[in-house]
Amino acid sequence: DQQVKQNSPSLSVQEGRISILNCDYTNSMFDYFLWYKKYPAEGPTFLISISSIKDKNEDGRFTVFLNKSAKHLSLHIVPSQPGDSAVYFCAASSSGGYQKVTFGTGTKLQVIP
Amino acid sequence: DAGITQSPRHKVTETGTPVTLRCHQTENHRYMYWYRQDPGHGLRLIHYSYGVKDTDKGEVSDGYSVSRSKTEDFLLTLESATSSQTSVYFCAIRPGFSGNTIYFGEGSWLTVV
């Protein structure tokens, strides 16, 4: 049972435009959400996170939005740059227990110059 | 840099042979994790550790065992490697100051022939 879902395997965006990556989750116990970026042959790197007490978190060109009622979050990248081309993983965890982090299947973003 | 060293970085092994992957950290973090990454599956948790000699199973633990005899090392063992265990393996740590954010190593590429 996939608790974190990224339904778009890939996305292509023109340089300078906005990239929107989406993620849905099913477990209502999740209260902390993260985005990771992964280049080929490298480990995933942490990008941005959001707690369930917020609905938006911004860090430079990256903004994450959380809609708890819809169990949906999105990552906005503005403006998109060719160096943003990578696989993006959405992830979620809950405060209880050992705070295991559950990942989605990833979305491959291609930013076209 | 998460201060994680994974070894070996690349390995080819034969079906039925045992394989051990090592994750070494230098910051005395309590929590350590092993994930595998496969196309279409994202990152899936194999095992995790919340202290020396304290380990537990993740969502894809069959065929794997772990050991943590000291804080800095978390070992993942494939007792009898199978072709389905061909994958990229990532170790991760969770610093105490980071909330639920985990940080990954560079990965170990394992091919079982």
Side-chain angles (χ1 to χ4, degrees):
Chain A
D1 178 29
Q2 192 76 22
Q3 297 186 69
V4 179
K5 302 176 184 178
Q6 294 178 258
N7 293 317
S8 297
S10 62
L11 175 68
S12 289
V13 172
Q14 291 286 334
E15 181 179 2
R17 305 295 290 268
I18 184 171
S19 295
I20 301 176
L21 294 89
N22 293 304
C23 178
D24 298 296
Y25 62 96
T26 59
N27 189 339
S28 57
M29 298 301 293
F30 288 148
D31 57 7
Y32 192 78
F33 304 89
L34 313 95
W35 285 94
Y36 288 80
K37 176 179 180 179
K38 187 183 180 305
Y39 292 119
E42 295 184 8
T45 55
F46 169 68
L47 194 57
I48 193 170
S49 62
I50 188 167
S51 164
S52 61
I53 62 173
K54 296 185 175 182
D55 54 19
K56 176 183 173 181
N57 189 27
E58 202 169 342
D59 184 1
R61 296 185 297 114
F62 302 92
T63 303
V64 56
F65 295 92
L66 176 62
N67 183 333
K68 290 186 289 294
S69 60
K71 293 191 176 67
H72 177 83
L73 63 154
S74 60
L75 175 68
H76 293 211
I77 306 173
V78 183
S80 301
Q81 299 174 353
D84 296 330
S85 296
V87 176
Y88 289 78
F89 290 101
C90 171
S93 70
S94 58
S95 299
Y98 296 110
Q99 301 170 5
K100 295 176 287 183
V101 180
T102 302
F103 285 81
T105 52
T107 297
K108 185 175 183 179
L109 173 66
Q110 182 184 19
V111 180
I112 304 166
Chain B
D1 183 2
I4 302 171
T5 304
Q6 290 188 229
S7 59
R9 294 292 314 280
H10 299 271
K11 186 173 182 66
V12 179
T13 191
E14 292 187 351
T15 299
T17 61
V19 177
T20 294
L21 305 179
R22 179 185 184 227
C23 178
H24 178 78
Q25 55 132 333
T26 57
E27 304 291 330
N28 290 319
H29 300 303
R30 180 180 172 196
Y31 289 86
M32 300 183 75
Y33 308 83
W34 276 108
Y35 285 84
R36 61 178 286 176
Q37 185 201 358
D38 304 288
H41 292 279
L43 292 151
R44 293 180 293 174
L45 181 64
I46 306 171
H47 280 278
Y48 62 100
S49 171
Y50 44 95
V52 173
K53 293 185 168 54
D54 291 323
T55 65
D56 206 348
K57 297 177 180 179
E59 59 183 305
V60 289
S61 59
D62 287 348
Y64 301 94
S65 62
V66 290
S67 66
R68 192 162 178 208
S69 59
K70 45 187 179 177
T71 301
E72 57 265 36
D73 287 325
F74 191 30
L75 305 180
L76 177 70
T77 297
L78 291 66
E79 301 290 349
S80 177
T82 67
S83 58
S84 64
Q85 294 176 312
T86 292
S87 187
V88 186
Y89 293 85
F90 291 102
C91 176
I93 53 91
R94 180 166 69 82
F97 59 82
S98 71
N100 289 22
T101 304
I102 62 174
Y103 297 88
F104 287 89
E106 291 297 303
S108 293
W109 274 254
L110 177 67
T111 302
V112 183
V113 298

